[in-house]
Amino acid sequence: MNCRRVDPLLDRCLVFLSKNLSRYYMSSDVEPLPPHLKDKLITLLCAQGLLTDANIGWVLHPSVKKLDLRDCDVSDDALQLVSLCRQLKKINLNASKGEERTAITSKGEAPPSGEMLVLRSAHGGYDVVPPLPPGITAVAQSCPYLHEVTLKKCRNLTDVGVLALSLNCPLLQIVNLSGCVMVSDASLRALGENCPLLHSVDLSATKVTDGGIIILVTGRCSQNLKEIHIDRCTYVTDDAVEAILTCCPNIDILLFHGCPQTTGQVALQMFSAT
């Protein structure tokens, strides 16, 4: 007798749907699905990298709490729809390994006047709202419960987007800006002044300087910071390393390799003195 567990028919149907979504030419075939099924479908589509600007609106609903879009070909247009997910807590927009993501920006041009966004609600009706400008700014302004945002190698992200996240998402705990080459000290000031719960920040391969690092680690999150990545930052020196180790008593992980102006001597001296 075969006692092997048989997947429920419903799950098999969702797997089939996720692999054949391109066969569905009308959003009305998918949009009526209830939120709990859409959540499963989103997970399957994200894992296969199949969510795009064209179909993401079919499966999103206002109660979505997490989105892992790292393998998906999406742009600011998709983020405009994501901004309707008011309960969103976690979003991953990292570029695929070895690549850069250029279609995600801080803020794009607003859609034509009079155009409205429509997303099927959890109760079967529709939410109709005026559009925000595309980009991460739209998500920040609409999703106040965000606590984790990863934007690795989104090379067109600027300080404007980080400022929007800092001002509108007070629950931020984890921020990954690695490889966001346009991010500067202004982003660190915004995070330090507005995000007291921040405990992990990745700033590797950005253009931040000692001044920005010092502002961050002496800001409202200084006691909570546990992990900081500043590796491959050209303008960072031993002063930044010293500031982190002095001002962040709970720091567990500090990466600063590949910074041409750091020597590591400060860290060694401080550790040997403890």
Side-chain angles (χ1 to χ4, degrees):
M1 180 177 179
N2 188 353
C3 298
R4 185 176 59 184
R5 180 180 180 275
V6 178
D7 291 332
L9 177 61
L10 182 59
D11 288 348
R12 293 191 176 201
C13 289
L14 288 173
V15 170
F16 177 86
L17 178 59
S18 71
K19 292 181 178 179
N20 295 275
L21 193 65
S22 60
R23 296 183 183 181
Y24 294 83
Y25 298 103
M26 297 182 63
S27 60
S28 58
D29 294 330
V30 180
E31 283 184 347
L33 291 174
H36 72 284
L37 294 185
K38 283 188 173 183
D39 286 338
K40 292 185 177 182
L41 189 56
I42 288 171
T43 299
L44 291 169
L45 291 169
C46 286
Q48 299 172 74
L50 295 177
L51 279 183
T52 66
D53 292 349
N55 63 30
I56 193 170
W58 300 4
V59 294
L60 289 180
H61 60 87
S63 298
V64 169
K65 290 183 172 58
K66 61 181 180 179
L67 283 171
D68 186 347
L69 300 171
R70 72 185 112 175
D71 294 319
C72 299
D73 185 14
V74 294
S75 71
D76 284 351
D77 291 337
L79 294 190
Q80 191 181 17
L81 291 169
V82 170
S83 69
L84 299 181
C85 302
R86 312 286 186 178
Q87 303 300 314
L88 192 65
K89 294 183 178 181
K90 178 179 179 180
I91 185 167
N92 187 335
L93 287 162
N94 286 353
S96 299
K97 187 176 182 180
E99 299 180 4
E100 293 180 331
R101 192 186 286 276
T102 59
I104 299 296
T105 69
S106 291
K107 185 176 182 181
E109 295 181 359
S113 177
E115 183 178 327
M116 304 296 280
L117 293 179
V118 179
L119 195 65
R120 194 175 185 91
S121 74
H123 305 292
Y126 291 88
D127 289 336
V128 181
V129 297
L132 290 165
I136 199 66
T137 299
V139 177
Q141 291 176 350
S142 301
C143 305
Y145 303 111
L146 274 173
H147 68 256
E148 181 172 344
V149 180
T150 52
L151 298 158
K152 184 176 182 179
K153 291 189 177 181
C154 290
R155 62 172 296 113
N156 289 326
L157 182 81
T158 67
D159 293 325
V160 172
V162 182
L163 176 61
L165 288 167
S166 302
L167 292 176
N168 295 284
C169 308
L171 302 179
L172 275 179
Q173 299 177 31
I174 300 172
V175 176
N176 187 337
L177 301 171
S178 174
C180 297
V181 295
M182 300 178 71
V183 166
S184 71
D185 290 345
S187 290
L188 303 195
R189 178 181 292 276
L191 291 170
E193 292 179 350
N194 299 286
C195 302
L197 302 180
L198 188 67
H199 65 76
S200 176
V201 58
D202 190 337
L203 303 164
S204 55
T206 62
K207 59 180 182 180
V208 299
T209 71
D210 291 349
I213 297 294
I214 291 170
I215 290 172
L216 174 69
V217 301
T218 57
R220 298 177 63 193
C221 56
S222 62
Q223 301 300 304
N224 284 322
L225 282 169
K226 297 179 180 179
E227 180 175 3
I228 300 177
H229 296 212
I230 51 172
D231 46 296
R232 294 169 289 129
C233 289
T234 304
Y235 306 109
V236 167
T237 74
D238 285 338
D239 290 342
V241 176
E242 182 177 6
I244 294 170
L245 295 176
T246 301
C247 300
C248 303
N250 295 309
I251 198 76
D252 291 325
I253 299 173
L254 171 57
L255 301 183
F256 58 93
H257 60 277
C259 298
Q261 299 192 60
T262 60
T263 65
Q265 293 302 312
V266 170
L268 289 174
Q269 291 172 7
M270 295 188 71
F271 283 128
S272 62
T274 58

